[in-house]
Amino acid sequence: MTGWANILQIKEKIAERSAEEVTASYLERIKKSRINAYTTVWEGAIDKAREIDEQGHNGPLAGIPIAIKDNISTKGISTTCSSKILQGYVPPYDAHIIERLKDAGAIILGKTNMDEFAMGTSTESSCYGPTLNPWDMERVPGGSSGGSAAVVAAGEAPISVGSDTGGSVRCPAAFCGVVGLKPTYGTISRYGLISYANSLEQIGPLATCVSDIATLMDVIGGHDARDSTSIKTETVYKDALADDVSGLKIGVPAEYFGAGIDPAVENSVWDAIQLFEEMGASWEQVSLPHTSYALAAYYIIAMSEASSNLARFDGTRYGYRNEGENWHVMASRTRAEGFGAEVKRRILLGTYALSAGYHDKYYLKALKVRTLVKQDFDLAFKEFDCLITPTMPTPAFKLGEKVEDPLALYLADVNTVPINLAGVPSISLPCGFTDGLPIGLQIIGKHFDEATILKAAYSFEQNTEHHTRRPAEVA
Ligand code: GLN
């Protein structure tokens, strides 16, 4: 069998053959891969699949292979955040979502490549080297969950999970032509997710279709007392899947179609909006006036939180260590050698923004802007059920094109970071192609109203073919 299949199709295959055979076929594909999307392939996968076969196929994901971003803790499986500083680290415990996935019968194929500590938009800052975009191997897959999106696009895993602090699930989903959801803040437990900027980030699923996203959400969503921001919800995500957008009120924020947008991206998104109208929805332009301040505020907040979160990596307890005559020498050698350039830049800038004398000027001001950005969304959602924008202003860019220019990379996040500042949910799904490269449509919803955006995305998918295209380069 080829790697591209949805959960239902794989279930049929498992019933016909076995979970062991299905897992083996994915491992075979991964072995031949040229896209450098896995950081670790789990050697226990086949045994696990055999165990699931022996137990009978119980559980909503029984025997379904899955790939996990390398910043999510997996007991007994290397977890490095694609950083030299965590080389050799094998967590002694599972993240909450890993417990859930195991209980549901899923089989972990391995860990996926990412920007170091999830800081990036291209998966080029990984210590393992960049992941290549399956649609064009001279281009980036997006980031930071580039590996998680690329494995799904290349048929090296049917489903995966990533994390999204400022776009890291949606950006690579858009660049690789797959579906990715950033749920409402608090929906999925972050227990066991290695923090970058914890007030912004959520774990999110990636898949080839909206229905698989809902299935995954039903498994990994829900309350967990070990994450103090985790919220009790009763949502059954699968219930949202209906091909029906009649009466849906869509807002189209002008600010998300600003300078620098690729005309092909703009056209595809407008075609999508038109289609929604034909399907029974209505749309109107809306303004989110504080959007232009969101990017600066995001980077100040994210870097400030990162500078604090990354203080724990000092060589004392885990990962890479270079010895020295005392703790200070050991820790500074370890950190100087263990962290890459982008991570160091962010620790320095974040420390600066939080330091006495600058705290109010930068960090506190950024928090105030965050409130204004959130209010923009609150106001818009009084009138509209969801908002539609391009996920990324351009299709995937070339490897190396922006890597020397951090500001150009940060700018690529304009349409994704406001969503994390506000904490609202947002999904990216394929809505077209330009020069053979996928384009992503972003649908943004109200807090805890994943149901509406899943329904809109599902309806769009039922009436279009974009999500069925596969990259020829990796066929
Ligand atoms: N590109 C953004 C950043 O570098 C978002 C990354 C993410 O969502 N983890 O912060």
Side-chain angles (χ1 to χ4, degrees):
M1 81 179 229
T2 68
W4 296 291
N6 60 32
I7 291 175
L8 268 181
Q9 291 164 331
I10 297 180
K11 281 191 172 168
E12 282 166 17
K13 265 280 174 287
I14 291 173
E16 224 173 80
R17 303 293 206 29
S18 65
E20 185 180 344
E21 261 187 64
V22 168
T23 299
S25 75
Y26 277 100
L27 293 173
E28 206 46 50
R29 242 181 119 74
I30 294 168
K31 226 184 263 166
K32 295 191 201 123
S33 174
R34 292 180 292 143
I35 59 171
N36 193 34
Y38 280 96
T39 57
T40 302
V41 178
W42 185 41
E43 70 279 1
I46 279 287
D47 287 345
K48 188 74 204 166
R50 201 171 298 135
E51 198 183 304
I52 301 262
D53 284 331
E54 282 161 11
Q55 288 166 353
H57 302 124
N58 307 315
L61 293 178
I64 309 289
I66 188 166
I68 310 289
K69 189 175 182 179
D70 206 23
N71 60 351
I72 297 171
S73 305
T74 40
K75 187 175 176 179
I77 309 176
S78 160
T79 301
T80 70
C81 292
S82 289
S83 178
K84 184 175 169 189
I85 210 156
L86 275 174
Q87 293 304 291
Y89 171 60
V90 178
Y93 72 103
D94 274 329
H96 174 76
I97 68 143
I98 300 298
E99 293 173 351
R100 287 283 188 88
L101 287 167
K102 285 183 175 173
D103 287 349
I107 295 173
I108 296 171
L109 287 173
K111 306 301 286 288
T112 57
N113 203 10
M114 55 186 277
D115 281 297
E116 185 178 5
F117 281 100
M119 298 175 187
T121 309
S122 62
T123 313
E124 290 172 288
S125 71
S126 161
C127 73
Y128 302 102
T131 292
L132 314 184
N133 190 314
W135 294 89
D136 176 350
M137 295 201 197
E138 289 180 1
R139 289 179 189 265
V140 302
S144 65
S145 316
S148 289
V151 293
V152 173
E156 294 178 16
I159 51 174
S160 68
V161 286
S163 65
D164 189 313
T165 313
S168 279
V169 163
R170 291 159 289 152
C171 158
F175 281 6
C176 291
V178 301
V179 189
L181 173 73
K182 198 290 283 181
T184 308
Y185 188 76
T187 302
I188 298 178
S189 169
R190 287 178 294 106
Y191 177 77
L193 168 69
I194 298 176
S195 293
Y196 153 26
N198 36 310
S199 83
L200 297 158
E201 59 211 3
Q202 274 293 286
I203 289 170
L206 295 111
T208 54
C209 62
V210 178
S211 157
D212 285 0
I213 296 285
T215 304
L216 256 171
M217 282 303 293
D218 282 327
V219 171
I220 63 177
H223 184 250
D224 170 29
R226 293 167 299 185
D227 171 358
S228 62
T229 63
S230 162
I231 278 166
K232 293 195 172 104
T233 51
E234 302 292 323
T235 316
V236 178
Y237 298 90
K238 270 279 193 191
D239 288 351
L241 304 179
D243 180 2
D244 176 16
V245 292
S246 54
L248 184 78
K249 287 199 217 145
I250 300 169
V252 182
E255 291 84 356
Y256 285 67
F257 295 77
I261 189 169
D262 183 292
V265 171
E266 190 167 7
N267 288 339
S268 288
V269 171
W270 279 112
D271 286 348
I273 294 165
Q274 207 94 51
L275 181 63
F276 272 111
E277 192 172 18
E278 285 160 27
M279 286 156 54
S282 64
W283 67 269
E284 248 178 82
Q285 287 223 317
V286 60
S287 175
L288 303 177
H290 296 97
T291 303
S292 60
Y293 306 109
L295 197 71
Y298 166 83
Y299 272 98
I300 288 171
I301 294 169
M303 290 180 188
S304 299
E305 292 186 22
S307 70
S308 160
N309 278 323
L310 270 59
R312 70 185 62 135
F313 302 104
D314 59 9
T316 308
R317 282 157 298 187
Y318 31 61
Y320 178 78
R321 173 183 178 119
N322 193 348
E323 299 300 340
E325 54 272 29
N326 57 42
W327 183 87
H328 293 283
V329 178
M330 182 279 286
S332 58
R333 277 188 190 153
T334 297
R335 286 168 70 82
E337 292 163 20
F339 288 133
E342 183 57 29
V343 174
K344 282 181 192 156
R345 175 170 18 248
R346 295 189 187 204
I347 293 173
L348 287 172
L349 288 171
T351 306
Y352 181 79
L354 289 178
S355 58
Y358 293 105
H359 180 272
D360 291 7
K361 194 170 165 201
Y362 294 112
Y363 183 65
L364 218 58
K365 197 166 189 177
L367 290 184
K368 289 176 184 166
V369 171
R370 182 176 191 170
T371 302
L372 295 173
V373 169
K374 184 178 166 291
Q375 283 171 356
D376 280 356
F377 282 101
D378 291 345
L379 267 181
F381 283 130
K382 284 201 170 129
E383 233 181 296
F384 299 102
D385 302 315
C386 66
L387 305 174
I388 287 188
T389 79
T391 308
M392 300 299 291
T394 67
F397 44 87
K398 288 242 161 87
L399 285 155
E401 189 182 315
K402 295 188 200 273
V403 79
E404 298 301 331
D405 183 357
L407 267 184
L409 262 181
Y410 301 168
L411 278 172
D413 300 335
V414 280
N415 285 4
T416 51
V417 299
I419 284 82
N420 300 71
L421 288 173
V424 290
S426 158
I427 191 166
S428 178
L429 73 162
C431 72
F433 286 82
T434 171
D435 292 333
L437 298 172
I439 296 171
L441 181 77
Q442 172 164 252
I443 310 179
I444 308 161
K446 299 175 189 173
H447 285 108
F448 303 107
D449 190 19
E450 274 78 2
T452 296
I453 59 172
L454 284 171
K455 190 168 162 182
Y458 181 79
S459 306
F460 183 77
E461 201 180 70
Q462 296 306 301
N463 290 279
T464 51
E465 300 282 320
H466 313 296
H467 66 288
T468 61
R469 263 176 80 168
R470 304 287 173 237
E473 285 216 42
V474 293

